[in-house]
Amino acid sequence: MARLGRSSVLGLALLGLLWVPPSARLLAQSAPASLVADRIDYDAETETLTASGAVEILYEGRVLHAAGIVYDARNEEIRAQGPITLADPSGSVILADSGALSSDLRTGLVQGARLLIADQLQMAASEIGRKDGRFTSLYQTVASSCTICEGDATPVWALRAARVTLDDLEQRIYFEDATVEVLGLPVGYLPRMSIPDPRVRRASGFLLPGFSQSDIYGFGFKLPYYRVLGPSADATVTPFLTSKGAQIIEGEYRRRFASGGFDLAGVLAVTSGLDSGAGRGALTATGDFALFSGFIADFDINLVSDQSFLLQYDYSDADRLTSEARMLRTRENDFMQLGMIGFQSLREDEDTENIPFILPDFTYRQLVEMPGIGGRLGLDLDTLGVWRQTGVNMFRAGGGADWRRDWTLAHGLLVNAVAATEFDFYRVWDDPATPERVIGRATPIVSTELRWPLLRTTGRADHVVEPMAQIVYSDIIGETDNPNEDSQLPEFDTTNLFVLNRYPGRDRYETGLRANLGISYTRYDPSGWSLGLTAGRVLRADGDTSFPEDSGLDGRWSDYVASAALTTAWGLTLSDQALFGDDFLFRRNEFAVVYDGDRADFAASYVYFAEDDSNEVLGPQPETNEFSIDARYRVHPNWEVRGLWRYDIASDSNLRAGAGITYGTQCAEFDLSVSRRFTSSDNVPPSTSIGFNVSLAGLGDSEDRSWPARVCLG
């Protein structure tokens, strides 16, 4: 009998098995196998090799670690004593007490074993059998992706099965007589089931079900089926059944190309269960593609069969849907966009025949440096077509040119000058007030702006005070009775205090001589927080009566606009925008506080719009006075609560409220939510909805690293 120690080298090949010490392992990479051990004994008569002490065998990427092995060359069998660890190139790891394996480590049987797949799904079995390097069979198995602690071996979730078979070729795991357990309690039984191997990124099969409860449709059940349609496409079909008889099919199709991709999703009610008939549904489609010469095409289409479908089945509470398709290109000195926009109103008080369809919506702008006089010249073109089934139709074509230049004078005084001309031509049809006609106009604009930022640095902070003044003159040459499609709701705040036209579109322009006046203050603290304050108003040479009276812009002196913003380094932001008159009564006030932290998120807002009966286009607008809050707090590393609330102060009524609680670990997430909608319409009464969703890592879902793993004590 030959006896060797770990530092010895035995240059023997026994039926394809070559073993070497660590010092020679790198020289043996071309050999079929390597064996390393503290002690090796070889019996030539029985052709038996015995290795003990930190045994390691490497063969074709497979690695076997054991306390000791006996290799029977005649039968080509390795008998290993534990603890045993067997890892294969795919990432699976088997831990066992003992086992018998073939010499190529592809076939065998181990006892008291655990299998770890992709460092995620672990299985414990009384024994594990390996066959043909493809099938791994586990008997009396418990499977889970959760951390299991000594002394408390109950995982968050587990699957108990009489037999489990892993198919490395098909990359699926098959369970027989499987019981699903949550916190050690059985919650379901399946005689047969299969899941994708956790090493597979995408695999066809059923996903975990979802449960919901609504006052409108009753109890709801969803069971999604996901289908892989190739390396760049997939589809999901989800039956949605309710206790009140609704049979709804949800579908999603996704496709990707080298140049882009699209998502198509739809909902079809075979029966609605609400005495509303069949054939109801909704459709959404989004996508974007890279085209020639730097152009990008994108689209976002949203359609629904009727006004109440989305709200009744908790898909959306939107009261207007917008669909858009466009082609655009953005370069350093030019921008081009061509698109069309469609609207679908879900409001009961809007006539759908008067809803406009926009085609074309074209914008082009180019910037040209002016080396002679300095500054930059901007050239723009614009077209807009507005079409209705009933009502005024119009087409607008326009453009313009503007020259802008900045100077920095002595003592840091900043000066800006603008000279611009805009022109627009309109053709109007189906206007009951006037016959079909063509309208043309030009709008020259000149302005000068001065800013003087003053900096003062102390030992505690930096302070910047910046007085600002802008003188603007503009006039309209030509007709002024053109339709107003894109400038119906002017708003005035500090963000547009120093712009040339405070109407949101091109259909209306400010005119006359005016001075935009303001001042800002900013404090920068070394600890990372900052405070900004801005205030201002507009002074006109002549009172402007083109703006609605309650917009704050009419008259010789406008209302005051003011804003404040506090930003901290630890995630808290407070902001406020206000519009008020000389009497300091608010016409509008918008306050928001946002906190974004690791354990908590918080967003609260208060919105006030005074009653406005001065807008001739939109008509009387009621007072808006609302408060809303949306918050999330992780009360424990594995527990999270959240809530939302919208309240109408003007009518002293709730609008919406909701709450939720989530328990999560790296292997599972359980989410329970409840929401109440207090508003109603003719077709949709107020309702309460409850939802419950489960996500299990290793059963169609991946690990969620935002939740911590279970911590074992002791």
Side-chain angles (χ1 to χ4, degrees), residues 231-233 255-262 288-291:
S232 58
R255 182 69 187 270
R256 298 294 180 264
F257 305 91
S259 59
F262 67 88
D288 56 79
F289 294 89
L291 305 178

PDB file of all heavy atoms in Angstrom, residues 231-233 255-262 288-291:
ATOM      1  N   PRO A 231     -36.310  35.755 -27.047  1.00  0.00           N
ATOM      2  CA  PRO A 231     -35.375  36.567 -26.257  1.00  0.00           C
ATOM      3  C   PRO A 231     -35.787  38.022 -26.117  1.00  0.00           C
ATOM      4  O   PRO A 231     -35.282  38.720 -25.249  1.00  0.00           O
ATOM      5  CB  PRO A 231     -34.057  36.430 -27.036  1.00  0.00           C
ATOM      6  CG  PRO A 231     -34.472  36.082 -28.430  1.00  0.00           C
ATOM      7  CD  PRO A 231     -35.713  35.250 -28.291  1.00  0.00           C
ATOM      8  N   SER A 232     -36.716  38.503 -26.957  1.00  0.00           N
ATOM      9  CA  SER A 232     -37.063  39.917 -26.927  1.00  0.00           C
ATOM     10  C   SER A 232     -38.568  40.161 -26.879  1.00  0.00           C
ATOM     11  O   SER A 232     -39.024  41.245 -27.230  1.00  0.00           O
ATOM     12  CB  SER A 232     -36.476  40.630 -28.157  1.00  0.00           C
ATOM     13  OG  SER A 232     -36.937  40.037 -29.355  1.00  0.00           O
ATOM     14  N   ALA A 233     -39.341  39.182 -26.470  1.00  0.00           N
ATOM     15  CA  ALA A 233     -40.787  39.366 -26.405  1.00  0.00           C
ATOM     16  C   ALA A 233     -41.376  38.471 -25.327  1.00  0.00           C
ATOM     17  O   ALA A 233     -40.857  37.393 -25.040  1.00  0.00           O
ATOM     18  CB  ALA A 233     -41.447  39.056 -27.757  1.00  0.00           C
ATOM     19  N   ARG A 255     -42.483  43.846 -26.490  1.00  0.00           N
ATOM     20  CA  ARG A 255     -41.558  43.460 -27.557  1.00  0.00           C
ATOM     21  C   ARG A 255     -40.441  44.480 -27.620  1.00  0.00           C
ATOM     22  O   ARG A 255     -40.678  45.691 -27.552  1.00  0.00           O
ATOM     23  CB  ARG A 255     -42.285  43.391 -28.909  1.00  0.00           C
ATOM     24  CG  ARG A 255     -41.406  42.946 -30.070  1.00  0.00           C
ATOM     25  CD  ARG A 255     -41.018  41.490 -29.929  1.00  0.00           C
ATOM     26  NE  ARG A 255     -40.054  41.082 -30.942  1.00  0.00           N
ATOM     27  CZ  ARG A 255     -40.378  40.583 -32.146  1.00  0.00           C
ATOM     28  NH1 ARG A 255     -41.671  40.446 -32.469  1.00  0.00           N
ATOM     29  NH2 ARG A 255     -39.465  40.216 -32.997  1.00  0.00           N
ATOM     30  N   ARG A 256     -39.220  43.998 -27.738  1.00  0.00           N
ATOM     31  CA  ARG A 256     -38.064  44.866 -27.839  1.00  0.00           C
ATOM     32  C   ARG A 256     -37.307  44.576 -29.126  1.00  0.00           C
ATOM     33  O   ARG A 256     -37.216  43.421 -29.567  1.00  0.00           O
ATOM     34  CB  ARG A 256     -37.121  44.672 -26.637  1.00  0.00           C
ATOM     35  CG  ARG A 256     -37.754  45.009 -25.295  1.00  0.00           C
ATOM     36  CD  ARG A 256     -38.083  46.484 -25.198  1.00  0.00           C
ATOM     37  NE  ARG A 256     -38.697  46.821 -23.916  1.00  0.00           N
ATOM     38  CZ  ARG A 256     -39.997  46.907 -23.713  1.00  0.00           C
ATOM     39  NH1 ARG A 256     -40.852  46.645 -24.724  1.00  0.00           N
ATOM     40  NH2 ARG A 256     -40.472  47.236 -22.532  1.00  0.00           N
ATOM     41  N   PHE A 257     -36.756  45.640 -29.728  1.00  0.00           N
ATOM     42  CA  PHE A 257     -35.944  45.551 -30.923  1.00  0.00           C
ATOM     43  C   PHE A 257     -34.621  46.251 -30.662  1.00  0.00           C
ATOM     44  O   PHE A 257     -34.437  46.905 -29.630  1.00  0.00           O
ATOM     45  CB  PHE A 257     -36.656  46.203 -32.116  1.00  0.00           C
ATOM     46  CG  PHE A 257     -38.035  45.666 -32.379  1.00  0.00           C
ATOM     47  CD1 PHE A 257     -39.150  46.248 -31.786  1.00  0.00           C
ATOM     48  CD2 PHE A 257     -38.230  44.579 -33.217  1.00  0.00           C
ATOM     49  CE1 PHE A 257     -40.426  45.772 -32.018  1.00  0.00           C
ATOM     50  CE2 PHE A 257     -39.506  44.083 -33.462  1.00  0.00           C
ATOM     51  CZ  PHE A 257     -40.598  44.677 -32.859  1.00  0.00           C
ATOM     52  N   ALA A 258     -33.710  46.126 -31.594  1.00  0.00           N
ATOM     53  CA  ALA A 258     -32.432  46.818 -31.447  1.00  0.00           C
ATOM     54  C   ALA A 258     -32.626  48.329 -31.411  1.00  0.00           C
ATOM     55  O   ALA A 258     -31.847  49.049 -30.785  1.00  0.00           O
ATOM     56  CB  ALA A 258     -31.492  46.425 -32.592  1.00  0.00           C
ATOM     57  N   SER A 259     -33.667  48.820 -32.070  1.00  0.00           N
ATOM     58  CA  SER A 259     -33.894  50.261 -32.159  1.00  0.00           C
ATOM     59  C   SER A 259     -34.914  50.781 -31.157  1.00  0.00           C
ATOM     60  O   SER A 259     -35.178  51.982 -31.123  1.00  0.00           O
ATOM     61  CB  SER A 259     -34.373  50.622 -33.568  1.00  0.00           C
ATOM     62  OG  SER A 259     -35.581  49.935 -33.877  1.00  0.00           O
ATOM     63  N   GLY A 260     -35.515  49.912 -30.340  1.00  0.00           N
ATOM     64  CA  GLY A 260     -36.510  50.372 -29.385  1.00  0.00           C
ATOM     65  C   GLY A 260     -37.442  49.254 -28.968  1.00  0.00           C
ATOM     66  O   GLY A 260     -37.044  48.086 -28.905  1.00  0.00           O
ATOM     67  N   GLY A 261     -38.681  49.581 -28.716  1.00  0.00           N
ATOM     68  CA  GLY A 261     -39.639  48.569 -28.302  1.00  0.00           C
ATOM     69  C   GLY A 261     -40.977  49.187 -27.962  1.00  0.00           C
ATOM     70  O   GLY A 261     -41.151  50.408 -27.980  1.00  0.00           O
ATOM     71  N   PHE A 262     -41.947  48.319 -27.658  1.00  0.00           N
ATOM     72  CA  PHE A 262     -43.273  48.796 -27.298  1.00  0.00           C
ATOM     73  C   PHE A 262     -43.910  47.850 -26.298  1.00  0.00           C
ATOM     74  O   PHE A 262     -43.555  46.672 -26.199  1.00  0.00           O
ATOM     75  CB  PHE A 262     -44.167  48.940 -28.539  1.00  0.00           C
ATOM     76  CG  PHE A 262     -44.521  47.633 -29.200  1.00  0.00           C
ATOM     77  CD1 PHE A 262     -45.636  46.905 -28.806  1.00  0.00           C
ATOM     78  CD2 PHE A 262     -43.727  47.125 -30.214  1.00  0.00           C
ATOM     79  CE1 PHE A 262     -45.959  45.699 -29.412  1.00  0.00           C
ATOM     80  CE2 PHE A 262     -44.041  45.919 -30.826  1.00  0.00           C
ATOM     81  CZ  PHE A 262     -45.162  45.208 -30.424  1.00  0.00           C
ATOM     82  N   ASP A 288     -41.182  53.469 -27.963  1.00  0.00           N
ATOM     83  CA  ASP A 288     -40.264  54.448 -28.542  1.00  0.00           C
ATOM     84  C   ASP A 288     -39.244  53.726 -29.405  1.00  0.00           C
ATOM     85  O   ASP A 288     -38.858  52.582 -29.115  1.00  0.00           O
ATOM     86  CB  ASP A 288     -39.571  55.279 -27.457  1.00  0.00           C
ATOM     87  CG  ASP A 288     -38.838  54.420 -26.442  1.00  0.00           C
ATOM     88  OD1 ASP A 288     -37.721  53.962 -26.737  1.00  0.00           O
ATOM     89  OD2 ASP A 288     -39.391  54.204 -25.352  1.00  0.00           O
ATOM     90  N   PHE A 289     -38.824  54.402 -30.473  1.00  0.00           N
ATOM     91  CA  PHE A 289     -37.901  53.822 -31.442  1.00  0.00           C
ATOM     92  C   PHE A 289     -36.908  54.888 -31.897  1.00  0.00           C
ATOM     93  O   PHE A 289     -37.270  56.052 -32.078  1.00  0.00           O
ATOM     94  CB  PHE A 289     -38.652  53.278 -32.667  1.00  0.00           C
ATOM     95  CG  PHE A 289     -39.550  52.114 -32.366  1.00  0.00           C
ATOM     96  CD1 PHE A 289     -40.869  52.313 -31.985  1.00  0.00           C
ATOM     97  CD2 PHE A 289     -39.069  50.814 -32.459  1.00  0.00           C
ATOM     98  CE1 PHE A 289     -41.699  51.252 -31.701  1.00  0.00           C
ATOM     99  CE2 PHE A 289     -39.892  49.741 -32.173  1.00  0.00           C
ATOM    100  CZ  PHE A 289     -41.208  49.958 -31.795  1.00  0.00           C
ATOM    101  N   ALA A 290     -35.666  54.465 -32.062  1.00  0.00           N
ATOM    102  CA  ALA A 290     -34.649  55.322 -32.654  1.00  0.00           C
ATOM    103  C   ALA A 290     -34.743  55.207 -34.174  1.00  0.00           C
ATOM    104  O   ALA A 290     -34.708  54.107 -34.727  1.00  0.00           O
ATOM    105  CB  ALA A 290     -33.259  54.906 -32.170  1.00  0.00           C
ATOM    106  N   LEU A 291     -34.866  56.353 -34.850  1.00  0.00           N
ATOM    107  CA  LEU A 291     -35.016  56.384 -36.290  1.00  0.00           C
ATOM    108  C   LEU A 291     -33.747  56.904 -36.950  1.00  0.00           C
ATOM    109  O   LEU A 291     -32.680  56.935 -36.330  1.00  0.00           O
ATOM    110  CB  LEU A 291     -36.219  57.255 -36.665  1.00  0.00           C
ATOM    111  CG  LEU A 291     -37.557  56.872 -36.010  1.00  0.00           C
ATOM    112  CD1 LEU A 291     -38.651  57.837 -36.427  1.00  0.00           C
ATOM    113  CD2 LEU A 291     -37.943  55.438 -36.364  1.00  0.00           C
TER     114      LEU A 291
END
